[in-house]
Amino acid sequence: MQLSKIIYLLFASTALSATTPPRRTSTSLRATSTPAAKVATPRVLKPATPPTMSDIKNSLANWNTSVYTVNAYLNDPQNTTKLASATVFAKDEPVQLATMMKVAGLSTSGVNAGKILMGNFGSIVSNLDSVQSGAMSTNDATAAVNFNRCCTVLPAIGMLWQAAATATKVGNVSMPALEEQCGMMSCASGVSGGEAAVRANGSIAANR
Ligand SMILES: *[C@@H]1O[C@H](CO)[C@@H](O)[C@H](O)[C@H]1NC(C)=O
Ligand SMILES: *[C@@H]1O[C@H](CO)[C@@H](O)[C@H](O)[C@H]1NC(C)=O
Ligand SMILES: *[C@@H]1O[C@H](CO)[C@@H](O)[C@H](O)[C@H]1NC(C)=O
Ligand SMILES: *[C@@H]1O[C@H](CO)[C@@H](O)[C@H](O)[C@H]1NC(C)=O
């Protein structure tokens, strides 16, 4: 959505709320506090330390939504509405990462996967911000993000999810959905779940 359109909608909704009687449903409250919000926001969670099984279920649900939302943008990179959502949800991923890293008895592979993610989330968020600000071209920024997510981040997320779910007895979880580009790129020799994470782990180590 163009900025001018967003500003227009903002003014339109302000004008509307000034001339209509106040409604007291929670829906109208939400709509009033975030007028430009076609863009949903991630749920704010309050996990215990260490997180419980239910905290991890909620964290997985948030994180899964973020993966889906960021994928949706990367699958349709000219769509600025999807970009706005992706930048918001990408910033919730480090929050869920911090929660999962606090799981008691997290396996070594889970801890390692988390460390990989800590080293990679910064550049993803900053690349998405750069597309939004115009500091980087959409092509350059999304190519970097695609490579990083397909070859390193998404496989590591899968490993951490499984480790956190196992340690808190949530059970088996599905792997994060891959964006479309993942099927068209070769990381070292193709991407597939855990194997790719192990390779990614190695390449991260080599790059430091
Ligand atoms: C962009 O994405 C939004 C949200 O999914 C959708 O409603 C809109 O139709 C898309 N715009 C274009 C031009 O495809
Ligand atoms: C979890 O996954 C493993 C390996 O894929 C499988 O053997 C096991 O039956 C699964 N457990 C549940 C509860 O689905
Ligand atoms: C993520 O969402 C998809 C689609 O709704 C679902 O099939 C999958 O089980 C979810 N994964 C997790 C870990 O919650
Ligand atoms: C990641 O790399 C470290 C250091 O090389 C290694 O100890 C660890 O086992 C690796 N983890 C995985 C999941 O491959």
Side-chain angles (χ1 to χ4, degrees):
M1 197 186 297
Q2 286 171 341
L3 187 60
S4 60
K5 184 94 179 282
I6 293 171
I7 290 169
Y8 169 76
L9 287 174
L10 229 141
F11 276 102
S13 79
T14 307
L16 196 69
S17 63
T19 53
T20 49
R23 283 169 297 154
R24 297 186 198 286
T25 63
S26 61
T27 315
S28 75
L29 201 71
R30 251 201 321 276
T32 309
S33 60
T34 49
K38 282 278 187 181
V39 178
T41 52
R43 282 180 65 199
V44 176
L45 303 175
K46 298 222 161 31
T49 304
T52 63
M53 177 200 277
S54 130
D55 291 331
I56 291 306
K57 282 185 181 165
N58 289 332
S59 185
L60 283 164
N62 258 44
W63 202 336
N64 203 25
T65 301
S66 295
V67 166
Y68 175 87
T69 305
V70 176
N71 283 353
Y73 167 63
L74 292 164
N75 291 343
D76 186 10
Q78 301 307 327
N79 186 314
T80 51
T81 307
K82 288 178 181 169
L83 171 61
S85 296
T87 56
V88 170
F89 279 84
K91 286 166 191 160
D92 188 55
E93 297 193 58
V95 177
Q96 306 318 322
L97 168 60
T99 298
M100 290 197 193
M101 289 302 269
K102 288 184 198 131
V103 163
L106 193 64
S107 66
T108 306
S109 64
V111 171
N112 287 337
K115 287 180 183 162
I116 292 170
L117 295 172
M118 285 177 192
N120 281 269
F121 276 152
S123 66
I124 291 182
V125 167
S126 108
N127 283 338
L128 292 176
D129 281 342
S130 295
V131 181
Q132 235 178 5
S133 72
M136 272 176 95
S137 75
T138 302
N139 273 356
D140 288 351
T142 57
V145 171
N146 284 332
F147 184 75
N148 199 1
R149 287 178 96 249
C150 293
C151 299
T152 303
V153 164
L154 291 168
I157 288 174
M159 295 188 75
L160 178 58
W161 283 4
Q162 188 58 63
T166 301
T168 53
K169 307 206 179 344
V170 170
N172 287 344
V173 290
S174 55
M175 291 294 103
L178 301 177
E179 62 206 69
E180 285 160 13
Q181 282 294 319
C182 296
M184 301 169 209
M185 84 175 47
S186 142
C187 297
S189 52
V191 178
S192 76
E195 279 167 33
V198 174
R199 272 199 306 277
N201 187 13
S203 71
I204 298 275
N207 285 337
R208 280 195 183 140

